[in-house]
């Protein structure tokens, strides 16, 4: 099962990346994120670990499985028979425009069961996250 949300942002790629990659600031930026903590030694990079809790979802540890600054990163969580991969990508569309793409893929034996209950909520979460990150990136620091 896979979900994807893209939004265009009136800000340079580096600005969008700075907002997106500041994971510990997500609770102040993304309304649905309640806890975001880097639990591995800094700086955050491939092999690192992040603790996240979103509204109505259990807290979990996510492994950083890819880190390609200032373009993309990937977080992976394995729990309850489901592997979830969250991809985050920023593409430059010009000097002052970017596209943010959030991609969530769920794999495993339990996906068909989990998917029935969480399909709509997952779409709503991705939409909300994208809009909140857009809003934060478009504000002059």
């Amino acid at each position: 099962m896979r979900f994807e949300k893209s939004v265009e942002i009136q800000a340079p790629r580096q600005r969008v990346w700075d907002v997106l990659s500041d994971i510990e600031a997500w609770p102040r930026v993304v309304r649905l994120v309640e806890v975001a903590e880097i639990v591995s030694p800094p700086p955050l990079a491939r092999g690192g670990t992040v603790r996240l809790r979103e509204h109505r979802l259990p807290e979990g540890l996510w492994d950083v499985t890819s880190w390609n600054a200032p373009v993309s990163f990937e977080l992976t969580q394995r729990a309850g028979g489901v592997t979830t991969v969250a991809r985050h990508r920023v593409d430059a569309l010009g000097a002052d425009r970017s596209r943010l793409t959030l991609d969530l893929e769920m794999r495993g034996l339990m996906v068909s069961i989990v998917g029935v209950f969480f399909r709509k909520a997952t779409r709503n979460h991705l939409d909300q996250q994208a809009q909140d990150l857009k809003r934060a990136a478009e504000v002059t620091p």
Side-chain angles (χ1 to χ4, degrees):
M1 184 177 325
R2 188 171 181 189
F3 304 90
E4 184 177 296
K5 176 64 178 181
S6 293
V7 292
E8 289 193 17
I9 299 175
Q10 295 299 315
R13 176 168 62 187
Q14 186 63 52
R15 170 68 184 147
V16 177
W17 175 259
D18 291 346
V19 170
L20 178 65
S21 64
D22 187 1
I23 292 174
E24 290 186 310
W26 285 4
R28 294 185 306 277
V29 173
V30 180
R31 287 176 271 178
L32 296 174
V33 176
E34 297 170 351
V35 173
E37 174 189 7
I38 299 168
V39 296
S40 56
L44 191 58
R46 184 174 186 206
T49 304
V50 176
R51 180 185 327 278
L52 292 173
R53 185 176 68 233
E54 295 184 49
H55 182 67
R56 294 187 173 171
L57 295 175
E59 186 173 293
L61 293 177
W62 293 76
D63 297 320
V64 181
T65 49
S66 173
W67 189 270
N68 182 23
V71 178
S72 64
F73 66 90
E74 179 179 281
L75 304 174
T76 301
Q77 180 187 51
R78 290 170 185 79
V82 176
T83 297
T84 304
V85 180
R87 296 177 187 93
H88 308 74
R89 180 174 185 84
V90 182
D91 294 302
L93 299 178
D96 292 322
R97 276 185 45 238
S98 305
R99 178 183 304 111
L100 170 65
T101 302
L102 304 177
D103 178 294
L104 189 77
E105 181 181 356
M106 298 185 336
R107 304 184 291 251
L109 296 174
M110 299 301 292
V111 168
S112 58
I113 296 167
V114 171
V116 169
F117 296 104
F118 293 106
R119 185 180 313 268
K120 184 177 179 182
T122 300
R123 281 195 188 104
N124 289 342
H125 272 232
L126 277 183
D127 289 349
Q128 186 67 59
Q129 288 175 2
Q131 290 305 315
D132 289 348
L133 290 163
K134 171 185 168 78
R135 186 173 23 265
E138 289 180 340
V139 172
T140 304

